[in-house]
Amino acid sequence: MPNKQHSTTITLPRGTLDLTYQTNSATAKDGTKPSNHYQLEDLLGFAQRINPKRAFLFVSKVLGRHIPVAPGTMRHAFTDLANLVPDDLPEPILVIGMAETAVGLSAGVHQALQTRYPNALLLNSTRHAQHDGNHDKNSHSLLTTFSEDHSHASQHLIYQSADTVTQAQLLASKTLIMVDDEASTGNTCVNVVTALRNAGLDQLQQVHLTTLVDWSLNQNQSHANADDTIATRLSNIEFHRHHLLSGAWTWTDAPNPEPITMPSVDTTESGSHTLGDTGNWGRFPTLDSTDGFAFYLTKFQAAFNLFNQQAQSEKASFEKEQLPQRILVLGSNEFVWLPFLLAEWLETQTQNATVKFSALTRSPIALGGAITTMLSFSDNYGLGMTNFAYNVEPSDWDLIVLCVETSADSVDEMWKDLDNVLVVSPTL
């Protein structure tokens, strides 16, 4: 049962965010000990979005997107969230993650779920049209699209599989586990389920909205016992929620807020820089999200050897003793899962060292609140848009490992000019 209800007020430049919330006290799957009791301050900070659709942002402290986080902390959150999903779900099971923020979270939840559901598929939405040469032509076929109405980049693409067996399993899915960092209104969940059902997933029996924080439970409802608004909008579906913290928010605009202009980031083009081969970690349906990591790890080790100028041939070996004490691994946009696995691996290779993970993003956020610093630069996909890195002060780190799925020369000069930045690219 949930703990008692709490309330707090967050004041931001463009208005006031009033929150009521309750923490989760669900027990672990073995029934012997409670899972971690996350408090609001453990999970979230708050900031102002540069977005006229919604002026505030919940900034996760466990996601590794806008705030650098220890890989171990992220892994615990992934596993704790997955452990809330019940046993004995009808199979086949599809785990679907929302670009760009939750594609690493979804892979982590999927990987943890596979201890109980080894045949569960992972599929992430994407905003990068797939026109590269890494897959058979048929693998570029769209399954469906949907809209995330409040987002800075509202259109999402979902691809199908070129493998007939995998595609058949996808279409036969009976349980959908939708993974996102947070739910605010439930509109995205309804849009995703509707799009998938219309695309041929007509066997769905259950939908499990699985989020770090769920703000949609009592949103726009007059009392706590009112019908679940998402459930009532999903006909003939058994609907469930799983989260580490839940509640509701109310936003009040400040008097006469200054008008804002949102940067142009709403595109699903592929960009002029070709994507390298990083395996399949979820842009297409997959059973194994770690596909490609072993190859990517060798790319890091080779790049690190060159970075240290200690390798004069391909036979040079990686020495973990050479690793510095303060390491930040940065994923880029949707390419975060293999970089996270790299950060997690580095965490096991170092003693008394600090390893943290974060990511570049197209999401425009104002300075203030949980956002203390901002770096802005051109994106590495060749889309001509501005990307950002938040709460990253380059001088705080001995080594910044910038992981991209494009060529190393696609990275903005700002990163190349820093002598502590190592770019890891699949085309190295």
Side-chain angles (χ1 to χ4, degrees):
M1 296 294 293
N3 292 336
K4 67 177 183 179
Q5 190 147 297
H6 306 270
S7 62
T8 191
T9 298
I10 308 298
T11 302
L12 296 168
R14 297 186 61 80
T16 301
L17 186 63
D18 289 298
L19 305 177
T20 57
Y21 65 94
Q22 54 199 20
T23 57
N24 194 336
S25 59
T27 57
K29 297 306 297 181
D30 60 13
T32 59
K33 62 179 181 179
S35 53
N36 288 350
H37 287 216
Y38 293 88
Q39 302 300 318
L40 180 70
E41 58 271 18
D42 299 327
L43 290 171
L44 291 178
F46 304 89
Q48 178 174 302
R49 293 159 60 107
I50 305 177
N51 186 338
K53 299 177 186 178
R54 182 178 294 173
F56 60 91
L57 180 71
F58 301 110
V59 184
S60 175
K61 294 181 179 180
V62 299
L63 190 64
R65 171 62 67 170
H66 306 115
I67 296 174
V69 183
T73 299
M74 295 172 63
R75 178 64 77 176
H76 282 302
F78 298 161
T79 303
D80 287 342
L81 186 57
N83 283 345
L84 298 176
V85 175
D87 294 327
D88 302 320
L89 295 179
E91 299 188 59
I93 294 172
L94 173 62
V95 178
I96 190 162
M98 299 296 100
E100 69 180 359
T101 303
V103 292
L105 174 64
S106 64
V109 169
H110 172 261
Q111 193 176 50
L113 283 171
Q114 282 192 310
T115 61
R116 290 181 285 143
Y117 299 109
N119 295 317
L121 283 175
L122 172 68
L123 176 59
N124 290 321
S125 74
T126 180
R127 296 190 181 103
H128 290 284
Q130 299 296 293
H131 299 310
D132 58 278
N134 298 332
H135 303 271
D136 182 86
K137 289 181 179 178
N138 293 329
S139 68
H140 299 314
S141 298
L142 273 174
L143 176 68
T144 188
T145 64
F146 71 91
S147 178
E148 185 181 12
D149 299 330
H150 67 271
S151 176
H152 55 277
S154 58
Q155 287 302 118
H156 290 247
L157 311 175
I158 299 179
Y159 282 89
Q160 58 188 18
S161 177
D163 179 78
T164 55
V165 174
T166 303
Q167 182 65 13
Q169 178 180 333
L170 173 69
L171 293 176
S173 297
K174 293 183 179 179
T175 298
L176 176 69
I177 299 174
M178 179 177 159
V179 180
D180 211 347
D181 58 322
E182 54 99 0
S184 295
T185 63
N187 288 340
T188 301
C189 181
V190 173
N191 291 348
V192 169
V193 175
T194 301
L196 289 174
R197 294 171 88 178
N198 290 340
L201 276 73
D202 54 10
Q203 304 300 308
L204 285 177
Q205 299 173 9
Q206 296 186 19
V207 170
H208 293 255
L209 177 59
T210 306
T211 56
L212 294 171
V213 181
D214 191 338
W215 294 112
S216 67
L217 190 58
N218 298 319
Q219 186 70 24
N220 299 322
Q221 296 184 35
S222 58
H223 55 86
N225 295 321
D227 291 337
D228 190 316
T229 57
I230 300 178
T232 57
R233 294 164 66 189
L234 295 175
S235 60
N236 302 315
I237 289 283
E238 187 178 324
F239 180 72
H240 304 270
R241 300 166 180 267
H242 313 290
H243 43 258
L244 303 180
L245 182 145
S246 64
W249 55 263
T250 302
W251 173 259
T252 305
D253 282 326
N256 304 312
E258 293 185 9
I260 59 173
T261 301
M262 184 170 65
S264 177
V265 296
D266 193 1
T267 179
T268 55
E269 294 299 315
S270 57
S272 60
H273 291 297
T274 303
L275 303 184
D277 185 2
T278 56
N280 181 12
W281 35 265
R283 279 207 183 110
F284 304 98
T286 184
L287 283 172
D288 181 10
S289 65
T290 65
D291 175 40
F293 176 64
F295 178 71
Y296 198 73
L297 180 58
T298 65
K299 290 294 184 182
F300 162 75
Q301 292 172 338
F304 183 78
N305 285 337
L306 291 172
F307 185 77
N308 271 358
Q309 298 181 341
Q310 295 178 353
Q312 300 300 320
S313 72
E314 294 181 358
K315 295 181 180 180
S317 61
F318 170 80
E319 298 292 341
K320 64 183 181 181
E321 290 79 9
Q322 301 166 359
L323 289 170
Q325 289 296 297
R326 300 175 301 168
I327 304 173
L328 175 65
V329 179
L330 291 175
S332 48
N333 298 78
E334 294 172 12
F335 183 59
V336 293
W337 179 240
L338 297 191
F340 163 76
L341 293 178
L342 173 60
E344 193 173 49
W345 180 85
L346 284 169
E347 202 172 39
T348 69
Q349 301 298 304
T350 56
Q351 292 184 344
N352 303 316
T354 297
V355 179
K356 290 195 176 180
F357 181 82
S358 193
L360 316 185
T361 176
R362 66 167 71 184
S363 178
I365 312 172
L367 284 171
I371 305 299
T372 58
T373 65
M374 175 184 68
L375 301 174
S376 59
F377 42 89
S378 297
D379 78 280
N380 60 289
Y381 293 95
L383 290 165
M385 70 169 63
T386 301
N387 276 188
F388 307 92
Y390 298 107
N391 296 311
V392 173
E393 178 54 60
S395 62
D396 289 344
W397 304 97
D398 299 319
L399 177 66
I400 297 176
V401 183
L402 176 55
C403 301
V404 296
E405 55 181 331
T406 50
S407 61
D409 61 7
S410 67
V411 172
D412 189 277
E413 292 296 330
M414 185 207 77
W415 297 108
K416 296 178 184 177
D417 290 342
L418 294 170
D419 59 11
N420 61 338
V421 172
L422 166 61
V423 178
V424 180
S425 162
T427 61
L428 180 68

